[in-house]
Every structure is written in structure tokens, then in C-alpha cells.
Amino acid sequence: MIITRHILHSQMILEVDDNRWDRIGLFRRIDRAKSYLINEKSAQPGQNVVMLGISWPSYLIWFIACAELGMSFVVSDSVGLHRCSASVREKLSLYGDIDYVIGNIEDKYFRELPHLYDKYIHHKAWANYHPSSYDTPIWATRDSILIRSTTSGTTNIPKVCNHTHGFFYDLMVRNADVLNLNENDVCLHTLILHHGSVAGVYFLPSLYRCKRHRWCEHIECANTIQKYDVNRVLLFYDDVNDMTNRMIVPNKTMTLYVLSAVTERFIDHMVRRLGNTVTSIYGCTETSGPLMLSLATPFDNTNWDPLAFSGPLDTFYVLSVKDGMIQVMMPDGSIITPGDRFTMNGDKWILKGRENIYRIKGKQIYLGILASWLESRYNWKHQDTFDLVFDSERESIYLRINNMLLNSLHDLNQEIELHFGSTDYQITKVIEGARLDFYTGIKFDSNEVRLRCRG
């Protein structure tokens, strides 16, 4: 089985503002989009497609049309939400040739990619395309690459990860069960192809299992949830703070899936006060996921720990811990090491963070130790007021810090040398700016810091 229009629930309804589309109406539009790609653009299986910030139903129409033709979606982290950063441009270059960019040529993000102008397809090109007959072949196979994405690039240049139709189809069916999706759920969608694991975690499983779907602009997420009868939503980076500040409607019995860090304030407001369920998802680009879940419910939230996950969900992935590091056996038997440390506490898997051991001139460097010292010495908070980024190519340590917190790098390095008794932990360069300014996709982008410091 593969990803085609037939994965959509047989009674699917898509709602955008006050407009509604049913499954048959979507199918007709998918046929137009496919015919346009074949007749006007000479589309071929295996070609690379970037989709920028496109409103629904156009987004869904192009996704299914390209998928059926065996074309590969290239994940571009920012999808027009932020400026096209150095890290995003570098990641796009890793994919090789980009054959088509579907979006709006006036988008600020797209304007920073002039070398892709001749690849442009307007996001509503299907709407006015009426050929005498429609071409609707299925060129995809289970081995066709559906989504191409990049790793986070924590220490160096990100790597490209390819996932097939077969993998995403099997994961879709599995996740519909793992997330306890019900056909009567009302699912809200905002962003999709801005992070490699998102499509398989929520987008495809919800389309497969649930009847009703609603789309809104990312920034309208909180308003839409309060206005309509949404009960399932996947949240991203600033959504967590937005919900904490703006959600006031209790008893919606919602389930909110979260891929980023969750604060105690968010749990106190969304779960304890408003009675929703928060499901924190652990996974990574290489594996997609979820690998594990951590649930805070209205009935069990007193001692909730966002870093404590209930163990393996089933046998789709085989999880183990070797030398403190999590390892994942994929369905095809390959082994992935995501780079996170875990300890076991009964039936709980406790996330201890990234393995922050690196080498400078052959000596081991423990960034965690440096981070802890900075916290205690200056009353800073790691991964909040500051971040440490290692550059393995240049054997350098970079510091991202909030504005106005550091007077002199020279003085800081003198203190570091005095404390550690050597120059091994000295910081090569500092870059000032709010942490969110370095986000691409759903999380902080170390490679963005690295590229700016190198530049």
C-alpha cells in the first residue's frame, strides 16, 4: 500500500473558515493538479518538490497529486514563517536539484531564493486548469521516496534522510492506533512540510482515521480552537506559549500533541485548569515516530515529568539503550542512534539530553559541564538565555546568548580558563539574539548559529 488519495477517510470533510470540501470534490481538484503537472510541467517520478506556505485545500491537493506521481517532497524548515536563513539555504542545497517550488512568488521567503524562480508553480495553478481530459496515473511504488528531510546538524552539516511511501503508509496506520485517533475527532492542521517527522506523526494518520479536518494559519491556532469544535491539534514552538497566554475556553476535552519543550506553566493552564490532555512526543527526523510518549491528563498530572516517557509503544520500532544512548531498530532492520542519552527508572525512560561529548585537538570536551558552570556563575539558564554550539569541523565552541547579557568575551574566557585550568573550554565566538530567532522547523537550529559564527 502507498500514499494516494485513497488514504483519506471515506467521509472526509475539510473546513477552512466557512468553506467546506468533501472527498469527491478534493478528488476532482487532485486530478486537475496531476494533469497540470504532467501536461504543463512534464512531471516525472523521483523529481524533488518544495511546497512553501500554501493555504488549504491547495496544500492537500498538491500533496496528494505529487505523491501519486511518485515525486519527492523536500522538507524546507521555515515554509515562509521566518526569513530564509543561512541554515535553511544550506539544507536546501543538500538535496541536489529542486525541480518544482509550489507557492507564492511574492512570499518573502521565496524572494530570497532567486535561483529557484524558474522552478515556480503558482499554488492555485490547478484552479483554472481545465483540459479536455484528465491524466490520473499512479506512478508511485512502495519504494518511491515520499519525503526527504535533513537531520538537525547539532555538530556539523546536516545529513539527508529519505523515507519511502511504504514506510509512511505503515507508520500512518500504526500511528492512527498509537495516538488513539477516532473517526469522529475534529483535527486542526497548520504546518506540515517544515520538519521531517511531522507528516508521519499526525498529518497522515489523522487524514486516514478521522472524518473532519480544519485548517488555519499557524498564528490563528489558538483563536480557531476556541471558535470551532476542534479536539485534536499538533502544536509547534511558539504555539505552546500562545496557548498558555490565550486559551480561556475550558472543557473542550482536547488532546494536544507537542513536539517541542513543554513548560510547567503550560501544563498547569492547559491540563490542570482547562482539563485538556497533553501528549509530548519523542522521536527524531531519522526515525519519524513517535518512539515514545509522555502524557499529562486531567486525571494524572500531579507529578508529570516532560522528560519521563513510557517505554516502547509497540513493536514497530525496537528500542534499546547501549552505553547510555538510545538505539532504534527500524522496521527494515537498520539501526539508528538519535544521539540522546536515556536512563531507566522502573518502566519510565528518562531523557537526559544530547550526548554533549566532543573533541578539540584530541581532548574530550563536555559541553554539559561548561553549560552547568555558566548557569551557576552567571545565573543564566541553558537552552533559554543561552545555548552552546559545537563546530566539529573547526573544533570551536560558539555561544548564543540573549542580548545585553555579556559585556566581554575576553573576560569570560579568562574566567573559563581560570576555572577549568586550561584553554580547552574557551569560547571562540559569541552571537547575540533571542533563542526564537534561531528556530527553523520545530526547534532551535544549532547549524544556524554555526553558519553565522563562521561567516
Side-chain angles (χ1 to χ4, degrees):
M1 302 293 287
I2 59 176
I3 302 299
T4 68
R5 69 189 71 188
H6 300 295
I7 68 164
L8 303 180
H9 191 283
S10 61
Q11 300 176 54
M12 178 183 172
I13 294 293
L14 171 61
E15 300 169 300
V16 181
D17 297 325
D18 296 324
N19 299 311
R20 290 164 59 93
W21 293 268
D22 62 15
R23 193 170 183 253
I24 300 303
L26 289 171
F27 283 8
R28 289 197 297 268
R29 291 162 172 82
I30 291 167
D31 286 340
R32 285 192 205 171
K34 285 177 69 175
S35 297
Y36 178 86
L37 288 168
I38 294 171
N39 298 330
E40 304 300 322
K41 295 297 180 179
S42 302
Q44 297 294 321
Q47 289 183 317
N48 288 325
V49 180
V50 174
M51 290 214 295
L52 300 182
I54 305 172
S55 61
W56 288 38
S58 287
Y59 191 101
L60 185 59
I61 290 165
W62 288 114
F63 185 91
I64 297 297
C66 294
E68 291 186 349
L69 295 179
M71 303 165 81
S72 301
F73 293 103
V74 166
V75 170
S76 179
D77 291 317
S78 292
V79 289
L81 289 176
H82 308 290
R83 65 185 184 80
C84 185
S85 65
S87 177
V88 171
R89 285 194 294 271
E90 180 180 78
K91 288 177 183 178
L92 280 175
S93 71
L94 298 176
Y95 295 115
D97 291 338
I98 303 296
D99 298 289
Y100 307 106
V101 179
I102 304 175
N104 183 355
I105 203 168
E106 299 302 322
D107 189 284
K108 179 180 178 181
Y109 178 92
F110 191 37
R111 290 201 301 269
E112 296 188 43
L113 301 170
H115 65 291
L116 294 179
Y117 278 9
D118 61 341
K119 314 293 185 181
Y120 171 66
I121 295 176
H122 191 274
H123 61 100
K124 291 187 177 179
W126 59 267
N128 297 315
Y129 190 67
H130 302 285
S132 56
S133 62
Y134 292 108
D135 293 297
T136 60
I138 305 293
W139 292 339
T141 69
R142 277 186 65 86
D143 293 329
S144 298
I145 303 299
L146 179 64
I147 292 180
R148 308 185 69 206
S149 53
T150 57
T151 59
S152 60
T154 302
T155 61
N156 212 329
I157 296 175
K159 298 178 181 178
V160 175
C161 300
N162 297 323
H163 288 126
T164 65
H165 271 253
F167 171 77
F168 270 113
Y169 185 92
D170 295 342
L171 183 65
M172 172 188 74
V173 176
R174 176 258 194 180
N175 283 349
D177 294 331
V178 162
L179 300 182
N180 295 313
L181 296 174
N182 183 284
E183 71 171 5
N184 292 318
D185 288 329
V186 182
C187 302
L188 182 64
H189 302 271
T190 55
L191 309 175
I192 306 300
L193 289 175
H194 71 300
H195 184 68
S197 63
V198 171
V201 169
Y202 174 78
F203 171 64
L204 292 173
S206 64
L207 292 173
Y208 169 74
R209 180 61 55 83
C210 308
K211 295 179 186 177
R212 290 184 59 197
H213 300 265
R214 178 166 287 280
W215 176 85
C216 71
E217 294 281 359
H218 169 64
I219 59 175
E220 291 297 321
C221 189
N223 286 339
T224 301
I225 287 174
Q226 293 182 105
K227 184 176 180 180
Y228 300 99
D229 53 348
V230 171
N231 73 313
R232 302 267 184 170
V233 61
L234 180 65
L235 302 181
F236 306 101
Y237 34 93
D238 47 345
D239 285 337
V240 171
N241 287 331
D242 199 41
M243 291 291 173
T244 307
N245 296 329
R246 297 172 62 190
M247 282 294 294
I248 59 174
V249 179
N251 303 318
K252 288 183 71 70
T253 61
M254 286 192 303
T255 298
L256 303 102
Y257 303 105
V258 183
L259 296 171
S260 56
V262 177
T263 64
E264 183 65 20
R265 180 169 169 258
F266 176 73
I267 296 299
D268 187 57
H269 183 71
M270 297 302 299
V271 179
R272 300 185 184 114
R273 186 176 303 170
L274 298 184
N276 301 303
T277 294
V278 169
T279 301
S280 180
I281 294 173
Y282 173 73
C284 66
T285 298
E286 297 97 309
T287 63
S288 192
L291 299 178
M292 291 183 284
L293 300 174
S294 179
L295 272 68
T297 73
F299 314 104
D300 182 15
N301 60 64
T302 305
N303 299 311
W304 184 74
D305 181 352
L307 302 180
F309 294 85
S310 298
L313 299 166
D314 53 15
T315 59
F316 188 86
Y317 302 101
V318 179
L319 308 182
S320 60
V321 175
K322 183 178 181 181
D323 298 328
M325 304 290 289
I326 189 172
Q327 288 192 341
V328 183
M329 180 182 288
M330 298 290 284
D332 64 1
S334 61
I335 302 295
I336 303 293
T337 303
D340 292 312
R341 292 180 292 117
F342 275 85
T343 59
M344 307 299 295
N345 184 4
D347 62 347
K348 294 292 185 181
W349 293 51
I350 312 300
L351 176 61
K352 307 301 289 186
R354 302 292 293 180
E355 180 55 79
N356 292 329
I357 303 175
Y358 309 109
R359 290 184 180 276
I360 293 179
K361 296 179 181 178
K363 295 181 180 180
Q364 285 191 338
I365 302 297
Y366 298 84
L367 284 192
I369 294 176
L370 178 57
S372 296
W373 179 79
L374 289 170
E375 286 186 320
S376 62
R377 175 67 181 85
Y378 292 99
N379 197 30
W380 296 342
K381 187 175 180 182
H382 187 218
Q383 297 181 342
D384 183 355
T385 52
F386 79 98
D387 291 276
L388 293 171
V389 173
F390 190 77
D391 188 335
S392 59
E393 181 179 314
R394 302 193 180 185
E395 295 190 345
S396 298
I397 300 172
Y398 305 133
L399 172 66
R400 191 288 310 169
I401 194 165
N402 288 358
N403 294 325
M404 309 303 292
L405 285 182
L406 183 67
N407 294 323
S408 167
L409 177 58
H410 177 268
D411 292 346
L412 173 61
N413 276 331
Q414 281 194 323
E415 286 200 58
I416 290 173
E417 182 178 355
L418 182 64
H419 177 79
F420 287 95
S422 74
T423 60
D424 295 343
Y425 283 86
Q426 288 192 334
I427 293 167
T428 304
K429 195 164 186 178
V430 174
I431 188 165
E432 293 188 347
R435 195 168 201 263
L436 276 177
D437 291 344
F438 297 86
Y439 265 57
T440 55
I442 63 171
K443 58 186 178 181
F444 178 77
D445 189 341
S446 298
N447 200 46
E448 179 67 17
V449 173
R450 189 177 303 113
L451 290 172
R452 291 200 209 177
C453 288
R454 287 177 181 178

